[in-house]
């Protein structure tokens, strides 16, 4: 949706000629009204179609497991597993104990995953999985990769990868100055960000768009540039990450200081973008009870499909221009009650359906369904080392 709203500059250009002025105003207010109606229509339609997920366990996310496993409905053979294993780290659960191959490319990421797998191991039948700890998924149908059951934290619909809850729910997320050992402990962040949201109730938040992060995707540039031209409307700045090489990586401006998730709660409109794959920030933003603007709909984590556009967040196209982003923010500034309602619903959904218990529950259901598709006997691999 392209939103167009009368701006101050339009009013200024209307000082000289009363007739031109009035025609212009009519044109802009007509456009603004049409666009405003379209947005309201999208919101109403989405709200009508939305069936809230009442479940107390992780069944709000169940359809994702079904979809991810659908390509393997005819069964997972040893050959399929071996293809997957070549692209990932091998784990086994044998007689209630967890084993992993000796090398893990990202030890903190493996540790984040193992926190959940060790907790589940004693309740699981014997199984083995190929778990990818890289940022990006591995098996792309569109590129003609042969089908293989690789577990990855994020993907687009072009991939066969099976989504699992990212390591960073517990540990191994990106290390930034504020989180030097890496982003993790979602259970603790849930509490601390919610507490911060109470210090920044809706009425006291700044009426501004906000983003802080590095240039892991150029899709973020439009908002950064808008912030430079309209600093009263948006505060969006690039920070440095470990890959920073030159000013280009901060779009020719000095790197900004990093801002904690808790301090994001000061702003009404929080922006989420993909990075290399999905960005870990998405779930945290909702906890501020601010309105989340989610740019792009391709990159997913397992819980994304349970969140609905216009119901829990505002969808924005990756191709949105600065002007279009500006107009969307202005629309919600002018429709504050609607903005708050969506922000509250987004918070409630994440608070109720993305608990640490849901993460464990998702892992359990995923593994149990996966095991049912396996067509070969899983034999203990003595090259693996005991984790639990
Ligand atoms: N981050 C943060 N404050 C900052 C910059 C980054 O909390 O000032 C978090 C951000 O929310 C994300 C992680 O650090 O979860 C890495 O952010 P970045 O933008 O560098 O990369 P992304 O993972 O989003 O591609």
């Amino acid at each position: 949706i392209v939103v167009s709203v009368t701006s101050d500059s339009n009013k200024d250009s209307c000082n000289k000629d009363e007739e031109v002025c009035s025609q212009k105003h009519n044109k802009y207010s007509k456009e603004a009204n049409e666009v405003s109606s379209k947005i309201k229509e999208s919101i109403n339609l989405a709200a009508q179609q939305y069936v809230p997920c009442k479940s107390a366990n992780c069944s709000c996310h169940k359809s994702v497991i079904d979809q991810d496993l659908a390509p393997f409905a005819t069964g997972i053979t040893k050959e399929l597993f071996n293809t997957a294993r070549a692209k990932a780290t091998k784990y086994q659960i044998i007689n209630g104990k967890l084993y992993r191959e000796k090398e893990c490319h990202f030890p903190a990421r493996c540790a984040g995953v193992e926190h959940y797998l060790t907790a589940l191991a004693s309740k699981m039948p014997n199984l083995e999985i190929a778990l990818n700890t890289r940022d990006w998924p591995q098996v792309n149908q569109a590129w003609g990769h042969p089908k293989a059951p690789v577990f990855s934290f994020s993907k687009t619909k072009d991939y066969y990868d099976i989504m699992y809850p990212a390591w960073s729910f517990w540990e191994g997320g990106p290390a930034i100055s504020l989180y030097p050992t890496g982003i993790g402990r979602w259970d603790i962040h849930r509490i601390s960000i919610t507490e911060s949201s109470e210090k920044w109730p809706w009425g006291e938040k700044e009426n501004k768009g906000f983003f802080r992060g590095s240039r892991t995707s150029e899709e973020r540039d439009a908002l950064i540039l808008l912030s430079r031209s309209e600093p009263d409307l948006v505060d969006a700045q690039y920070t440095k990450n470990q890959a920073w090489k030159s000013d280009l990586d901060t779009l020719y401006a000095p790197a900004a200081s990093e801002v904690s998730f808790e301090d994001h709660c000061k702003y009404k409109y929080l922006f989420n973008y993909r990075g290399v794959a999905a960005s870990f920030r998405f779930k945290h933003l909702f906890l501020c009870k601010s309105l989340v603007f989610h740019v792009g709909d391709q990159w997913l984590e397992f819980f994304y499909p349970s969140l609905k556009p216009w119901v829990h967040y505002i969808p924005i196209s990756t191709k949105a221009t600065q002007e279009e982003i500006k107009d969307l923010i202005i629309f919600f500034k002018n429709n504050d009650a609607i903005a708050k309602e969506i922000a509250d619903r987004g918070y409630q959904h994440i608070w109720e359906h993305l608990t640490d218990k849901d993460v464990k529950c998702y892992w359990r259901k995923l593994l149990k369904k996966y095991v049912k598709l396996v067509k070969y006997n899983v034999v203990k691999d003595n090259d693996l080392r005991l984790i639990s």
Side-chain angles (χ1 to χ4, degrees), residues 174 176 179 183 212-214 216 220 258-259 261 275 279-281:
I176 64 170
Y179 309 106
I183 291 170
R212 234 8 135 260
S214 63
T216 48
R220 302 171 173 194
E258 287 159 349
V259 173
F261 289 124
S279 168
F280 295 137
R281 74 167 50 65

Side-chain angles (χ1 to χ4, degrees), residues 103-164:
E103 293 305 316
C104 163
H105 200 60
F106 298 101
R109 296 183 183 186
C110 283
V113 165
E114 287 157 16
H115 167 77
Y116 293 102
L117 295 185
T118 48
L120 284 174
S122 66
K123 297 168 209 117
M124 285 292 151
N126 287 358
L127 62 89
E128 60 188 11
I129 58 171
L131 187 135
N132 165 36
T133 50
R134 292 186 185 87
D135 287 334
W136 50 89
Q138 296 293 308
V139 196
N140 192 313
Q141 324 180 26
W143 297 344
H145 292 164
K147 188 166 75 173
V150 175
F151 283 61
S152 294
F153 93 92
S154 170
K155 68 165 178 176
T156 70
K157 64 173 171 31
D158 288 340
Y159 288 83
Y160 283 118
D161 298 54
I162 299 163
M163 285 188 284
Y164 68 86

Side-chain angles (χ1 to χ4, degrees), residues 135 153 168 173-179 183 189 210-217 220 237-242 256-262 264 271-285:
D135 287 334
F153 93 92
S168 64
I176 64 170
S177 63
L178 297 163
Y179 309 106
I183 291 170
H189 273 130
F210 185 77
F211 176 84
R212 234 8 135 260
S214 63
R215 196 172 181 232
T216 48
S217 156
R220 302 171 173 194
Q237 297 179 57
Y238 278 136
T239 56
K240 273 187 189 177
N241 64 18
Q242 285 153 348
S257 317
E258 287 159 349
V259 173
S260 70
F261 289 124
E262 288 76 11
H264 282 55
F271 280 75
N272 185 58
Y273 287 86
R274 63 165 289 196
V276 176
S279 168
F280 295 137
R281 74 167 50 65
F282 194 34
K283 58 185 179 296
H284 300 87
L285 301 182

Side-chain angles (χ1 to χ4, degrees), residues 50-267:
Y50 176 57
V51 181
C53 184
K54 295 261 166 32
S55 161
N57 59 32
C58 60
S59 359
C60 300
H61 313 293
K62 182 179 163 292
S63 62
V64 178
I65 298 180
D66 296 339
Q67 265 173 34
D68 284 358
L69 293 181
F72 306 100
T74 52
I76 296 165
T77 60
K78 187 74 189 170
E79 290 66 40
L80 278 184
F81 177 76
N82 284 341
T83 309
R85 191 241 178 289
K87 294 167 180 282
T89 305
K90 180 176 177 181
Y91 279 92
Q92 284 191 329
I93 292 178
I94 304 286
N95 298 332
K97 292 203 161 75
L98 180 69
Y99 299 84
R100 191 199 74 216
E101 66 180 72
K102 288 187 188 72
E103 293 305 316
C104 163
H105 200 60
F106 298 101
R109 296 183 183 186
C110 283
V113 165
E114 287 157 16
H115 167 77
Y116 293 102
L117 295 185
T118 48
L120 284 174
S122 66
K123 297 168 209 117
M124 285 292 151
N126 287 358
L127 62 89
E128 60 188 11
I129 58 171
L131 187 135
N132 165 36
T133 50
R134 292 186 185 87
D135 287 334
W136 50 89
Q138 296 293 308
V139 196
N140 192 313
Q141 324 180 26
W143 297 344
H145 292 164
K147 188 166 75 173
V150 175
F151 283 61
S152 294
F153 93 92
S154 170
K155 68 165 178 176
T156 70
K157 64 173 171 31
D158 288 340
Y159 288 83
Y160 283 118
D161 298 54
I162 299 163
M163 285 188 284
Y164 68 86
W167 48 85
S168 64
F169 276 98
W170 190 256
E171 68 175 287
I176 64 170
S177 63
L178 297 163
Y179 309 106
T181 56
I183 291 170
R185 295 305 300 263
W186 171 240
D187 58 334
I188 295 177
H189 273 130
R190 276 171 51 87
I191 307 290
S192 63
I193 303 172
T194 298
E195 280 170 5
S196 177
S197 78
E198 279 150 22
K199 287 186 205 133
W200 290 102
W202 186 259
E204 284 175 35
K205 290 180 195 285
E206 277 192 44
N207 278 323
K208 259 190 188 183
F210 185 77
F211 176 84
R212 234 8 135 260
S214 63
R215 196 172 181 232
T216 48
S217 156
E218 288 169 22
E219 286 174 12
R220 302 171 173 194
D221 288 359
L223 188 71
I224 303 295
L225 293 171
L226 177 60
S227 163
R228 290 179 192 172
S229 60
E230 303 259 4
D232 292 338
L233 193 70
V234 182
D235 177 349
Q237 297 179 57
Y238 278 136
T239 56
K240 273 187 189 177
N241 64 18
Q242 285 153 348
W244 189 91
K245 288 195 192 71
S246 70
D247 275 1
L248 174 63
D249 295 324
T250 33
L251 211 55
Y252 305 107
S257 317
E258 287 159 349
V259 173
S260 70
F261 289 124
E262 288 76 11
D263 287 346
H264 282 55
C265 297
K266 196 172 155 192
Y267 303 92

